[in-house]
Amino acid sequence: MSEFLNQFKQLTATGYLFWVLAILALLSAVWVVTARNPIHSVLALIATFFCLSGHYILLNAQFLAAVNIIVYAGAIMVLFLFTIMFLNLRREDEESKTNLTKMAAVVVGGLLMVMLITIFRAKSAQVPTFNPVSFDSRTGLVENLGSILYSDYILPFELASVLFLVAMVGAVMLGKREAGDRHF
Amino acid sequence: MDLTVLLVKGLIILVIFGITLLIATYSTYAERKVAAFLQDRLGPNRAGPFGLLQPIADAGKMFFKEDFIPAQASKWLFILGPCLAMLTALMSSAVIPFGDSIRLAWDGTNYDIPMQAIEINIGVLYIFGVVSLGVYGIMVGGWASNNKFSLLGAIRAASQNISYEIALGLSLIAILMMTGSLSLRAIVNEQATFFEWNVFTQPLGFIIFLTCAFAECNRTPFDLPECETELVGGYHTEYSSMKLGFYLFAEYINMFVSSAFISSLYFGGYHYPFMNAVHDGLTGSLGEIAGHNIATAIGTVVFFAKIFFFIFFFMWVRWTIPRFRYDQLMNLGWKSLIPLSILNVVVTGAGLLYDIKYTTWLIVVVMVVLALTSNARAPKSQAAPQRA
């Protein structure tokens, strides 16, 4: 215990921020799963995304942090909230949560956890530790990210954009009203 | 040194916070005066000279009203709604460059303190992130009220904000292509010469951005979320006392912040014609430090003049143009503004390939010609015969 306390005292400001953010992220992530009301779940998920963005900023990846907020917290979660409000799930719909679905959720979640732990513990996937010689604090900034995306990773980047285009066209096709459809 | 930097930054943030709140307070007064002027009335003139104490009287009234929370409402979210609205509104002014820099001499060295809360190299993305969060206050509050009108208002606000965000972002992308930087200060400094202000190089982008800014602020003609003819009060139907005050106040803060962004993105921020000549003259006659600071102050005053003009413009439009119908709003957003802004990006890119900055005028010319021809070819309405 005293060892832990000593370590805690030696942390820098960044270290304290990391711990606070990590605890907040874990708490809000647990809240997402345990909240009875889906709206509360969504709000907790937004809080989780904010904590993750904080971590990105601590890692000096400002662009990633901003895009995380814009795309996830700003667009996708608004749509989630929107849909849940439309569905009006205020009464806790317990009938959809049968034992079978709960068991399936536990099995899938457990499998995912085992898989993630194996991946992170694999020797080949070990992330190199901090090296002050080769360390560049500007790696995560938007200029470097842009030039890497458009030089070394141009093919995956373009493939992802084609994927987005296809998804967009698909969404428009699904949303299109055909002749004879009911006019809302 | 770290602590000094922190203190100076904290002071600047506090000052910007105070200025934002002050301007938002007096925007409520200005709104009523402008409305009165446009409708040939006098407007508030009882509280203090020219009614100048009216905002304080309003705030006092708001605070002393009964703070009512409906029985069926979800209590914490009901409180969280206005808090979020205020929080997101106040966050966005952090990256605005209000002026060049204040120069201080300390121990024989000159320190330049930029007149900006934080200078980050993703300033534009920061604004965009905060703007996209702005809808949560309305959605959470509208849903928590447990009232159909509030819920409808919240859903309208959400869909409107999502739709217009896309066009807003696309018109910003054209500016980013012109500047090649995401930093707001870099964008402002790019517009140092008068004819390179983005409003001249990006006329179409400016119109799109302005329209989307109106929609994002929920101002007339896009104030569908609080459309009283259809939705009683919209998302704030159930709100009373200072919670309602916060919602209304957040709208004025948003208006100030969007005016500041429009001025710095399209109207050169703190730049004005012959700025360098003024700066050189002042530093020549008053010395390095005093001259620089006075030149900065002039730039800041110019910037605020631009902001005030746009705040006035917001009010002018509000009391001139009637509200859209909801399907018209969606059609305008999805079928006109988004295709136009994509076209704007493409044409800007083509122009930059050949180093021409003014290519988007081409779209404007084509649009004007199309509008004129379609207007000329439209069937003329027969003039009703005059009664004898």
Side-chain angles (χ1 to χ4, degrees):
Chain A
M1 192 65 200
S2 63
E3 195 183 335
F4 176 74
L5 268 180
N6 278 332
Q7 208 175 12
F8 196 70
K9 277 177 195 160
Q10 284 168 2
L11 285 174
T12 55
T14 319
Y16 286 118
L17 273 177
F18 170 79
W19 279 105
V20 170
L21 278 175
I23 291 167
L24 277 179
L26 285 178
L27 281 181
S28 45
V30 169
W31 189 21
V32 176
V33 192
T34 54
R36 271 272 189 269
N37 190 328
I39 298 260
H40 293 181
S41 280
V42 171
L43 292 176
L45 193 53
I46 296 165
T48 317
F49 284 136
F50 268 94
C51 297
L52 287 185
S53 278
H55 281 300
Y56 290 142
I57 290 176
L58 285 185
L59 294 171
N60 225 356
Q62 300 169 353
F63 179 72
L64 209 55
V67 167
N68 187 36
I69 292 284
I70 294 170
V71 174
Y72 284 98
I76 293 180
M77 294 325 285
V78 171
L79 284 178
F80 267 48
L81 209 56
F82 191 78
T83 322
I84 289 171
M85 280 179 183
F86 259 131
L87 293 178
N88 198 18
L89 294 172
R90 295 201 70 170
R91 282 164 284 107
E92 280 135 26
D93 277 335
E94 289 295 331
E95 60 257 37
S96 66
K97 294 173 188 161
T98 58
N99 276 337
L100 187 68
T101 49
K102 281 178 188 166
M103 293 287 275
V106 167
V107 169
V108 172
L111 275 178
L112 187 67
M113 189 178 80
V114 169
M115 198 177 81
L116 285 179
I117 289 176
T118 1
I119 289 174
F120 284 128
R121 288 181 63 84
K123 276 278 180 284
S124 56
Q126 287 289 319
V127 181
T129 47
F130 169 69
N131 179 4
V133 182
S134 62
F135 177 68
D136 179 12
S137 66
R138 303 186 60 82
T139 306
L141 297 191
V142 59
E143 290 88 356
N144 297 324
L145 203 64
S147 54
I148 285 179
L149 270 185
Y150 279 98
S151 56
D152 294 356
Y153 295 96
I154 183 77
L155 184 67
F157 184 74
E158 292 294 329
L159 284 180
S161 61
V162 169
L163 190 68
F164 274 123
L165 188 67
V166 171
M168 241 151 61
V169 172
V172 171
M173 283 310 292
L174 281 179
K176 220 174 160 187
R177 200 184 293 125
E178 281 166 31
D181 266 8
R182 199 155 65 90
H183 201 288
F184 289 102
Chain B
M1 192 59 210
D2 267 3
L3 198 65
T4 327
V5 171
L6 206 65
L7 276 178
V8 169
K9 284 285 175 206
L11 204 68
I12 293 176
I13 290 171
L14 214 61
V15 167
I16 289 175
F17 195 70
I19 290 175
T20 314
L21 289 179
L22 187 76
I23 289 180
T25 313
Y26 273 90
S27 298
T28 61
Y29 168 77
E31 171 108 84
R32 298 171 68 172
K33 273 289 183 193
V34 168
F37 169 66
L38 290 176
Q39 297 172 343
D40 202 12
R41 295 186 281 118
L42 282 177
N45 64 352
R46 296 290 125 171
F50 308 106
L52 273 175
L53 296 179
Q54 189 66 42
I56 295 157
D58 282 344
K61 183 196 79 172
M62 283 289 191
F63 271 114
F64 284 113
K65 277 193 164 185
E66 187 192 356
D67 192 6
F68 186 75
I69 297 180
Q72 295 295 311
S74 142
K75 191 183 169 204
W76 289 108
L77 292 185
F78 191 77
I79 299 172
L80 188 69
C83 300
L84 279 179
M86 272 302 260
L87 181 78
T88 47
L90 283 168
M91 264 165 75
S92 37
S93 59
V95 291
I96 306 170
F98 284 99
D100 191 11
S101 62
I102 301 172
R103 193 165 287 174
L104 293 175
W106 184 271
D107 267 351
T109 38
N110 285 345
Y111 292 102
D112 276 359
I113 301 167
M115 291 187 65
Q116 188 176 11
I118 37 170
E119 160 66 15
I120 40 175
N121 65 353
I122 48 155
V124 173
L125 286 180
Y126 176 85
I127 310 166
F128 200 62
V130 174
V131 164
S132 61
L133 294 177
V135 69
Y136 281 119
I138 295 175
M139 281 186 88
V140 168
W143 180 81
S145 306
N146 196 15
N147 173 325
K148 286 202 172 57
F149 292 119
S150 304
L151 184 66
L152 278 175
I155 285 173
R156 278 185 172 192
S159 44
Q160 173 180 326
N161 278 35
I162 295 172
S163 315
Y164 279 77
E165 234 165 58
I166 304 171
L168 185 90
L170 284 171
S171 61
L172 269 177
I173 282 177
I175 292 210
L176 301 184
M177 285 161 67
M178 305 283 293
T179 315
S181 171
L182 285 166
S183 150
L184 217 58
R185 185 167 282 271
I187 292 175
V188 168
N189 285 336
E190 186 79 0
Q191 310 171 57
T193 40
F194 183 67
F195 283 105
E196 289 191 359
W197 283 10
N198 281 330
V199 67
F200 297 117
T201 51
Q202 289 284 333
L204 183 65
F206 167 63
I207 302 282
I208 294 170
F209 190 90
L210 189 71
T211 318
C212 294
F214 272 87
E216 293 287 328
C217 289
N218 296 326
R219 291 284 297 184
T220 323
F222 300 103
D223 62 344
L224 276 299
E226 45 189 305
C227 170
E228 62 271 1
T229 45
E230 296 159 19
L231 294 179
V232 188
Y235 59 89
H236 54 57
T237 305
E238 295 287 351
Y239 279 91
S240 62
S241 183
M242 204 54 204
K243 292 207 196 72
L244 173 68
F246 274 166
Y247 269 127
L248 303 182
F249 205 57
E251 183 183 317
Y252 285 97
I253 299 174
N254 278 332
M255 206 162 83
F256 164 66
V257 170
S258 17
S259 306
F261 283 137
I262 293 169
S263 334
S264 51
L265 288 175
Y266 288 95
F267 284 84
Y270 47 82
H271 290 289
Y272 52 94
F274 308 113
M275 185 173 161
N276 287 334
V278 171
H279 183 266
D280 289 345
L282 280 170
T283 45
S285 59
L286 292 170
E288 181 68 24
I289 289 168
H292 180 83
N293 286 345
I294 290 175
T296 304
I298 296 174
T300 308
V301 168
V302 168
F303 184 52
F304 273 99
K306 288 171 188 171
I307 293 176
F308 290 147
F309 171 75
F310 277 103
I311 292 179
F312 171 70
F313 188 76
F314 268 85
M315 292 166 182
W316 189 7
V317 169
R318 173 169 181 179
W319 296 103
T320 310
I321 298 179
R323 191 179 282 140
F324 279 112
R325 222 169 50 215
Y326 203 70
D327 58 326
Q328 292 173 332
L329 171 96
M330 282 296 155
N331 280 344
L332 178 71
W334 287 96
K335 293 186 182 164
S336 316
L337 293 183
I338 293 177
L340 269 181
S341 50
I342 292 175
L343 186 70
N344 189 32
V345 168
V346 171
V347 173
T348 310
L352 287 179
L353 199 61
Y354 295 102
D355 229 4
I356 312 165
K357 281 190 168 177
Y358 300 90
T359 36
T360 43
W361 280 102
L362 210 66
I363 313 176
V364 177
V365 171
V366 169
M367 276 170 69
V368 168
V369 168
L370 279 180
L372 286 178
T373 49
S374 73
N375 198 32
R377 288 172 57 185
K380 297 277 182 299
S381 60
Q382 288 290 321
Q386 293 273 328
R387 227 175 284 168

